[in-house]
Amino acid sequence: QVQLVESGGGSVQAGGSLRLSCEVSEDIFGFDLGWYRQAPGKERELVATRPRWGSPNYADSVQGRFTASRDNGKNTMYLQMNNLKPEDTAVYYCHAHQGASDYWGQGTQVTVSS
């Protein structure tokens, strides 16, 4: 029922930047949001959280390079990714949580070459 659509993925060289967007079909004011990624041969991992209140949290591997933000008026969450590394290559997923419900986007591919 709640739909999340990621966009902004692509292929870049190491050191480049991308900005991912996650558009949500509902008012996101009451949602805790986050970004996950799944690299080849690995399990899905948390990249960043962007809760309703408070500051974002980041995985150690992206700390200082990625910035998660949200625009409640546009029902959109963003992930600004700077100084990308080949190890950042993965499918990135948007996640929303409210109460006992969890929602996932379809994912967007990010490929970083050296």
Side-chain angles (χ1 to χ4, degrees):
Q1 185 172 350
V2 177
Q3 300 183 48
L4 287 67
V5 180
E6 303 96 334
S7 62
S11 181
V12 299
Q13 294 194 8
S17 298
L18 287 172
R19 190 177 82 153
L20 306 182
S21 298
C22 172
E23 298 181 359
V24 184
S25 63
E26 302 288 341
D27 190 343
I28 67 170
F29 180 81
F31 286 84
D32 293 318
L33 305 175
W35 288 98
Y36 291 73
R37 68 186 182 187
Q38 187 165 18
K42 296 185 177 181
E43 296 183 351
R44 190 171 300 184
E45 66 175 347
L46 178 66
V47 176
T49 62
R50 190 61 185 87
R52 297 165 61 194
W53 302 292
S55 300
N57 292 310
Y58 301 95
D60 290 341
S61 59
V62 306
Q63 182 72 44
R65 299 187 297 118
F66 290 11
T67 302
S69 61
R70 61 190 288 168
D71 188 332
N72 291 340
K74 297 181 179 180
N75 293 331
T76 302
M77 180 175 62
Y78 305 95
L79 184 67
Q80 179 67 47
M81 305 183 295
N82 297 326
N83 192 24
L84 284 161
K85 304 176 180 179
E87 63 195 65
D88 296 319
T89 296
V91 177
Y92 284 72
Y93 297 90
C94 180
H95 172 257
H97 172 78
Q98 185 179 39
S101 300
D102 292 275
Y103 307 95
W104 295 91
Q106 84 287 352
T108 184
Q109 176 70 48
V110 172
T111 302
V112 185
S113 61
S114 60

